[in-house]
Amino acid sequence: QEDFDYGRNVLAELSSQHQLSKDDAILRRVENIVDRLTRHVGGRSEPWNVYVFDAPDVVNAAATRGNHVFVWTG
């Protein structure tokens, strides 16, 4: 639970700087990529929480403990 809470705190911080994307197609695409990667590397069975930020000028992605993945649209 501590790891999950850590990821939620990172989400809160990032959300104060960038708006979450409302584009479901982009979110599904990123979720599919994360699913394929975690299956390939034998990821843990807990689900991954995937968030996409609408920030066309930011080219970045990050993951935190607690299975949180953050991707910027740039």
Side-chain angles (χ1 to χ4, degrees):
Q1 183 64 43
E2 182 179 328
D3 287 345
F4 180 80
D5 291 342
Y6 175 81
R8 294 297 288 185
N9 289 336
V10 171
L11 172 62
E13 177 65 29
L14 293 173
S15 294
S16 72
Q17 300 170 31
H18 307 283
Q19 183 175 355
L20 285 168
S21 174
K22 294 180 173 128
D23 188 330
D24 289 335
I26 291 174
L27 180 59
R28 281 193 306 274
R29 182 175 178 211
V30 173
E31 287 174 334
N32 287 336
I33 292 168
V34 169
D35 287 344
R36 288 185 0 233
L37 286 170
T38 56
R39 271 197 315 267
H40 181 71
V41 298
R44 299 183 319 186
S45 61
E46 291 92 17
W48 285 81
N49 306 285
V50 178
Y51 307 96
V52 177
F53 295 105
D54 188 16
D57 295 338
V58 179
V59 180
N60 199 6
T64 67
R65 62 184 198 230
N67 290 9
H68 295 270
V69 175
F70 308 99
V71 176
W72 287 258
T73 56

